[in-house]
Amino acid sequence: MYEIQTRVGFSTTDENLRLPLTGIINLLQDCATFHTQDTGYTTQWLKENHRAWFVTDWQIRLHKPINMGDNVTVRTYPYNARGALASRYFTITDWDEAPFVTANSLWIYMDLEKMGPTRTPEEMFAAYGTSAPPIEKFGDRKIRFDGEMETISSIKVDETMIDSNSHVNNGKYISIAEHFLSKEGSFNFFRIEYKNQAHLGDLMLIRKGRENGNVYIDITDDENTAFMRLEAANEDRDNAGGDTSAHRV
């Protein structure tokens, strides 16, 4: 387990002074990358050795809003590490341990010269440490929706969207998707899949679909090759009377 503590600043919140999904994912990614920094396999080391960890999917459950000024503890628990793959469970709590967010994720270790997965050194896995898998249930990783998608906007990738791996930063996709979710209702569970990488100059099409109260956002190129897919659901509506409380490792 690895943790960071921070306080939610004004500059990270939305018009309601709440931390949006983009800000939540940034906290989770920061916790994971700080963990990497502190193992000695720093982001700089990875870049120099043409390696990188890419997150392939998220399942994120919101238990209560995170507001401007809140003190938060972000924890990550690596588990099921093998070959090129590693899973991470995350929690975000207040300083009294009440849950704000729980999340599950899958990461892949990449050779950036070959642009393909490569086996993670055992000493790297040892440096991260491993935890037991979470007992909290997140359902399938894969988003299952074959309904009609309407193209609602398009964006050309510019320099502000690119990260140190020379492709669109994961958080940028979420920021785009959130913009088009803002008038769709209230959601507390998100499933996200990253499919392919968008690069400088690429045209991204934003498509939206709906099914059984859930909203789906696809970001693709103009030939329908997917960059990202997001599913937004409301578990309070879907599981009326059910228990959606956090179950930590």
Side-chain angles (χ1 to χ4, degrees):
M1 185 274 288
Y2 181 87
E3 73 174 47
I4 59 174
Q5 291 187 321
T6 189
R7 191 177 187 191
V8 176
F10 174 79
S11 61
T12 63
T13 57
D14 61 17
E15 67 274 14
N16 298 312
L17 297 179
R18 288 185 173 177
L19 191 68
L21 181 62
T22 305
I24 289 168
I25 286 180
N26 286 340
L27 279 180
L28 302 180
Q29 290 189 140
D30 283 349
C31 186
T33 53
F34 284 143
H35 188 190
T36 294
Q37 293 296 109
D38 288 355
T39 64
Y41 294 98
T42 66
T43 304
Q44 295 85 345
W45 182 93
L46 292 168
K47 191 174 181 68
E48 289 169 2
N49 287 274
H50 310 288
R51 297 290 189 265
W53 282 103
F54 290 173
V55 61
T56 66
D57 58 66
W58 292 103
Q59 300 90 46
I60 299 174
R61 179 169 287 124
L62 310 184
H63 298 270
K64 66 175 181 176
I66 304 176
N67 297 309
M68 188 268 166
D70 282 341
N71 294 312
V72 299
T73 300
V74 189
R75 296 186 177 98
T76 182
Y77 304 79
Y79 71 98
N80 284 356
R82 64 191 184 279
L85 299 175
S87 297
R88 282 182 179 270
Y89 177 64
F90 292 84
T91 64
I92 304 178
T93 67
D94 63 24
W95 286 3
D96 293 321
E97 298 299 324
F100 287 117
V101 173
T102 48
N104 197 33
S105 61
L106 181 66
W107 300 69
I108 187 166
Y109 190 58
M110 294 286 290
D111 181 328
L112 297 183
E113 292 184 314
K114 297 179 180 179
M115 283 312 299
T118 188
R119 180 172 291 276
T120 309
E122 289 301 322
E123 57 269 25
M124 182 181 289
F125 280 149
Y128 286 130
T130 56
S131 302
I135 60 174
E136 181 177 2
K137 303 302 182 184
F138 290 92
D140 292 341
R141 293 183 182 276
K142 185 174 178 56
I143 298 171
R144 304 188 184 281
F145 174 71
D146 297 316
E148 182 177 346
M149 301 291 287
E150 174 191 5
T151 300
I152 54 177
S153 188
S154 63
I155 299 172
K156 190 171 183 178
V157 177
D158 63 27
E159 292 87 349
T160 65
M161 300 179 180
I162 303 298
D163 65 15
S164 62
N165 293 314
S166 300
H167 60 239
V168 173
N169 181 270
N170 292 332
K172 294 293 184 182
Y173 295 114
I174 307 306
S175 180
I176 292 167
E178 272 197 293
H179 173 73
F180 294 102
L181 281 174
S182 59
K183 296 182 181 180
E184 292 291 336
S186 176
F187 305 102
N188 57 17
F189 185 79
F190 299 88
R191 205 182 309 273
I192 298 158
E193 291 183 275
Y194 297 107
K195 299 288 194 177
N196 293 283
Q197 300 168 19
H199 298 91
L200 184 65
D202 285 348
L203 181 67
M204 299 193 301
L205 302 182
I206 295 88
R207 296 184 165 105
K208 182 164 63 176
R210 299 176 182 83
E211 184 178 69
N212 299 326
N214 294 355
V215 177
Y216 299 84
I217 301 289
D218 280 4
I219 300 180
T220 74
D221 66 10
D222 54 1
E223 296 181 352
N224 206 34
T225 298
F227 296 127
M228 186 216 72
R229 169 168 275 196
L230 179 148
E231 175 187 15
N234 188 315
E235 292 186 313
D236 295 335
R237 176 201 65 219
D238 297 340
N239 303 311
D243 180 11
T244 61
S245 61
H247 299 282
R248 291 185 289 133
V249 171

